[in-house]
Amino acid sequence: MSESTSTAHRFYQSRVANHVAFWVLTVVLLSYYSSLFSGSFTLNLAIMCIILPIQLGATYLLVYVQIKRWLYQRRWLLFLLSALPIAYIFAVLARLTNIYIAEPLTGYEGIDESIWEVISDPIYLIKVYISWVYTPTILFLIFKMVKNHYEQESRLTELENEKSKAELNFLKAQMNPHFLFNTLNNIYALAKKQSPQTPEMILKLSDLLDYTIYECNEPSVPISKEWELIENYVDLQAVRQGSKVTIAIDQAIDDEETSIAPLILITLVENAFKHSSGVGQQPASIRISLRVEKKWLTFTVFNTKSSGSAPYKIAPKKSIGVKNVKKQLALLYSEKHTYEVEATANSYTVTLTINLG
């Protein structure tokens, strides 16, 4: 946030600053408006400043006492019985202030009226002075309602963001153990066979742990990091599966610093290995392709399967990965992604597109 933006935000959040700004602007605008009909702007500004304490009293009494404590509390009778007499009293005070203070100070020769004459002329007071006193009050109420509306919208947006953030953190907390559990199983299989590749695979697992524990705490990571994760995982699987599976991976990324939410793509790769199987005498086949061009990502994962197996029909306990991916996509890229599945008798293809812009 820039310094000017931060200053504007602090000003908006300051209640005193908001009120001062409102009253300064109101006095200036109403003075200018009055000068269009009679007197100069300076004369009207001086009168407005003299009457201002009465307008302030009428406004804050109505907004923060009569409306807040009585009208909002549905004490209708008390509100009505107080509103009319109080408005009349403020109109009388405004008229007296104008006659005995404002007009003499500004050199205006007005009508000389006694206090009783002012009080006993309700028609003139209602027609002229109630509207004069309460015009700023109406503007203040409008300003307050608009400001409250935007603050409520902001709070709702903030709550939604916090809810989404908490849900994403929960999904990641589920996904990381799920991913690491599968990878450890792969290492275990190698160690059991006493494979000489076990140390190399442990090193790759170390890289995976470093990435998932430390780097994935950020809301987004460079796409190159996600691809490196996929390559390490594929290497682990290739050693474990051996000749049982043929693997082909390729990528074309125009900007490796393009950001993406972490641990979304790898889950689709995991699922392909988990559910792939050979067709006839042929080994299982997996093809992984990543394309990123001008912030548009296309990720395709293909795997063969036996004709009798249902596509990814697995127990709920073991389906955390794909479910979490779909939830994360809905939260992070709600209207900016497509998730398509093409299932045939012998293959399964997932194509994910995301607008990362």
Side-chain angles (χ1 to χ4, degrees), residues 101-136:
I101 300 176
E103 290 178 354
L105 286 177
T106 57
Y108 180 81
E109 295 183 3
I111 301 173
D112 189 16
E113 295 180 79
S114 66
I115 296 176
W116 175 248
E117 286 176 322
V118 170
I119 295 173
S120 60
D121 191 4
I123 296 176
Y124 184 72
L125 288 172
I126 293 171
K127 284 175 60 178
V128 177
Y129 280 90
I130 285 185
S131 61
W132 191 18
V133 170
Y134 283 96
T135 294

Side-chain angles (χ1 to χ4, degrees), residues 184-339:
L184 283 170
N185 273 345
N186 295 344
I187 300 292
Y188 171 75
L190 290 173
K192 193 173 181 181
K193 295 177 183 178
Q194 296 184 343
S195 170
Q197 293 174 305
T198 303
E200 180 186 352
M201 295 301 103
I202 291 175
L203 183 61
K204 288 186 179 293
L205 176 60
S206 175
D207 291 339
L208 295 177
L209 284 168
D210 179 70
Y211 180 76
T212 56
I213 292 174
Y214 297 107
E215 298 188 47
C216 288
N217 291 327
E218 298 298 322
S220 62
V221 295
I223 190 67
S224 58
K225 290 288 187 181
E226 282 292 288
W227 182 250
E228 185 180 341
L229 175 70
I230 291 170
E231 287 182 318
N232 285 337
Y233 181 80
V234 168
D235 287 344
L236 285 168
Q237 286 288 7
V239 171
R240 179 192 174 195
Q241 302 281 359
S243 61
K244 294 179 183 179
V245 60
T246 61
I247 307 169
I249 65 172
D250 69 278
Q251 57 91 1
I253 303 172
D254 62 354
D255 181 5
E256 293 190 347
E257 294 303 311
T258 301
S259 296
I260 185 173
L263 301 179
I264 288 181
L265 306 182
I266 189 64
T267 306
L268 303 181
V269 176
E270 280 189 274
N271 230 39
F273 278 99
K274 186 187 302 181
H275 300 289
S276 64
S277 59
V279 180
Q281 300 300 317
Q282 300 296 319
S285 177
I286 293 175
R287 295 195 298 270
I288 302 165
S289 174
L290 174 65
R291 297 286 182 273
V292 180
E293 183 177 2
K294 296 179 180 179
K295 303 294 184 180
W296 276 96
L297 175 146
T298 304
F299 188 61
T300 305
V301 181
F302 166 91
N303 68 273
T304 56
K305 65 182 181 68
S306 61
S307 58
S309 63
Y312 291 10
K313 192 172 183 180
I314 51 179
K317 183 179 178 181
K318 297 182 180 180
S319 63
I320 290 174
V322 173
K323 285 183 178 180
N324 282 356
V325 166
K326 290 181 177 179
K327 286 181 180 179
Q328 287 206 63
L329 288 169
L331 287 168
L332 293 168
Y333 305 107
S334 177
E335 303 295 330
K336 301 171 69 175
H337 81 280
T338 62
Y339 183 94

Side-chain angles (χ1 to χ4, degrees), residues 136-184:
T137 306
I138 295 170
L139 295 175
F140 185 86
L141 282 170
I142 294 171
F143 170 78
K144 185 175 175 62
M145 286 188 291
V146 170
K147 187 172 184 290
N148 287 345
H149 171 75
Y150 279 104
E151 286 179 345
Q152 186 176 10
E153 289 291 321
S154 178
R155 283 194 296 268
L156 289 174
T157 302
E158 186 177 351
L159 286 173
E160 286 296 323
N161 289 338
E162 289 298 323
K163 180 182 176 183
S164 297
K165 185 177 179 181
E167 188 170 348
L168 281 170
N169 288 335
F170 174 73
L171 293 174
K172 285 181 181 179
Q174 284 185 304
M175 193 178 299
N176 288 352
H178 172 71
F179 169 70
L180 294 174
F181 176 78
N182 288 343
T183 307
L184 283 170

